[in-house]
Amino acid sequence: MNFIQKGFIGKNDTWRYLLTIILVFLGIQIAGIPLLIAAFFQVDGDLEKFQEGANSAFMEIGMNSSLYLFLMIFTFMIGVLVLYLFVKYLHKKKFIAIVTSRKKIDWNRVFYAFILWGSISVISIFVGMYLTPEDYTWNFKPIPFFTLLVVSFLFLPFQTSFEELVFRGYLMQGFGISAAKKSFGFDIIYLLICVVVYIALNSYFDIMMLINLIIISSFGIIWYFLYEYKIMKKLTATGFSRFQHNLLSRSFTPLIITSVIFGLMHGMNPEVEQLGYVVMVFYIGTGLLYGITTLMDEGTELALGLHASNNIIAAFLVTTDWMVFRTDAMYIDTSEPSAGAEMYIGVFVLYPLLLLVFSKKYGWKNWKNKLFGKVEIPVIDEK
């Protein structure tokens, strides 16, 4: 039984996935209250300064960057907890099922990927410093730096693990299950409409993310019950069944969908405003790297290590005043924001080489079937 097929164990009705995702992100929003309280006290209750701070991730109001990082990570810790509870009690499956197809987590894989990508990242950064030393300023301050180091290594893995378990674990299996069933037409149409509504609400209306989430959730619940009462089934089934059976009920469908959603979710980062939407090549490309790694290795361990390494190095080694991680890092990059050749080299050269290294080390075979093969519904022994 491969990684996607592992998801068929337990209860997998569409409404369970819908409810879980809604409440996971609602839990994250509620868990953000301590951050809002800390920021409110930072400005002594001045609502105007508080609003200005919210627009700059509270960095411009003087909030300690390590405190901000921890409180931000705390929201993802709650997200992991909520996801765990719903996988266990609503889906009636073991949490490890969305982590790996192995009987237990292979921590050696996590640490190998962490060290490998960490080494590549550090070397790349120092090569950049050697080539353009004028773009980097020494920023080492012992107490803030070592505080950041502790926060980064102890808590940042919660943030990166949350994203991997949601996208490469829970949703990868969820969309794989959906693609193998007749409900896929409904699921994909609902997803596309939700993405459009979400982007429209963020782009054209100045509303809180929580309100945005409630609006989309309400829309999703209404849409689901319309489907259950057969109203939407006829619309989504017309001319779709054969197309789905021949093409979309394959492994690359959840791979592409989760990678694109992963990229779109990062579209809210300040990097997009500075670099333009060309940076989505990096975000979606990174999602594809993590997704391919998960499907080929039959688990998320390598992706967990890669993602944690990437964000930890970004947090403590080099910072800028325009990226999502603004920390007390060792260096400050003062160069003008640009999506240069290094981004394309990373996505189109380093990522394929990384996959090659993993394939040699772990003996990956049958790429065609694992990435493009049809998702088969397994026979599950309920005993």
Side-chain angles (χ1 to χ4, degrees), residues 48-108:
E48 185 175 341
K49 287 185 178 180
F50 177 82
Q51 182 60 44
E52 292 176 359
N55 293 333
S56 62
F58 301 118
M59 292 293 101
E60 293 181 5
I61 62 173
M63 178 179 284
N64 180 276
S65 61
S66 292
L67 173 62
Y68 168 77
L69 185 61
F70 171 75
L71 291 176
M72 184 271 291
I73 293 170
F74 175 74
T75 65
F76 293 101
M77 295 168 70
I78 298 301
V80 171
L81 175 61
V82 176
L83 180 64
Y84 170 81
L85 293 174
F86 275 81
V87 168
K88 183 175 182 180
Y89 295 108
L90 185 65
H91 284 277
K92 305 294 184 182
K93 64 177 71 178
K94 294 180 179 179
F95 192 68
I96 195 174
I98 71 168
V99 181
T100 183
S101 61
R102 288 170 270 275
K103 293 183 178 180
K104 60 181 181 179
I105 298 173
D106 188 343
W107 291 103
N108 288 330

Side-chain angles (χ1 to χ4, degrees), residues 252-267:
F252 71 81
T253 298
L255 171 64
I256 297 298
I257 292 174
T258 54
S259 299
V260 171
I261 298 175
F262 179 76
L264 291 175
M265 292 298 290
H266 284 79

Side-chain angles (χ1 to χ4, degrees), residues 302-348:
L302 293 175
L304 287 168
L306 291 172
H307 201 160
S309 179
N310 182 78
N311 285 27
I312 289 173
I313 297 298
F316 81 81
L317 192 54
V318 179
T319 189
T320 72
D321 61 359
W322 51 268
M323 294 182 72
V324 67
F325 283 131
R326 284 175 275 183
T327 63
D328 293 307
M330 190 176 293
Y331 289 92
I332 299 176
D333 182 352
T334 58
S335 63
E336 286 295 319
S338 64
E342 63 274 8
M343 182 185 75
Y344 297 100
I345 291 174
V347 173
F348 297 110

Side-chain angles (χ1 to χ4, degrees), residues 79-218:
V80 171
L81 175 61
V82 176
L83 180 64
Y84 170 81
L85 293 174
F86 275 81
V87 168
K88 183 175 182 180
Y89 295 108
L90 185 65
H91 284 277
K92 305 294 184 182
K93 64 177 71 178
K94 294 180 179 179
F95 192 68
I96 195 174
I98 71 168
V99 181
T100 183
S101 61
R102 288 170 270 275
K103 293 183 178 180
K104 60 181 181 179
I105 298 173
D106 188 343
W107 291 103
N108 288 330
R109 277 173 154 83
V110 177
F111 294 129
Y112 177 76
F114 184 96
I115 293 171
L116 177 61
W117 186 248
S119 301
I120 293 172
S121 298
V122 170
I123 291 172
S124 299
I125 289 170
F126 280 108
V127 167
M129 290 180 183
Y130 175 78
L131 296 175
T132 57
E134 67 278 3
D135 291 339
Y136 296 88
T137 302
W138 178 251
N139 186 53
F140 179 74
K141 301 169 187 174
I143 294 178
F145 176 77
F146 287 110
T147 301
L148 169 65
L149 208 60
V150 171
V151 171
S152 297
F153 276 91
L154 289 183
F155 300 111
L156 255 179
F158 282 100
Q159 179 252 326
T160 57
S161 296
F162 169 79
E163 293 187 9
E164 289 311 303
L165 293 177
V166 168
F167 289 102
R168 257 61 65 178
Y170 186 72
L171 290 179
M172 181 80 79
Q173 289 182 344
F175 281 115
I177 292 168
S178 179
K181 296 181 177 180
K182 294 180 180 179
S183 64
F184 184 69
F186 154 74
D187 294 331
I188 194 65
I189 291 174
Y190 166 71
L191 172 68
L192 291 173
I193 292 176
C194 276
V195 169
V196 171
V197 171
Y198 185 83
I199 293 174
L201 289 174
N202 274 287
S203 300
Y204 299 106
F205 300 96
D206 185 18
I207 60 175
M208 293 177 59
M209 186 181 294
L210 179 58
I211 298 175
N212 193 338
L213 184 62
I214 292 172
I215 293 172
I216 292 179
S217 301
S218 301

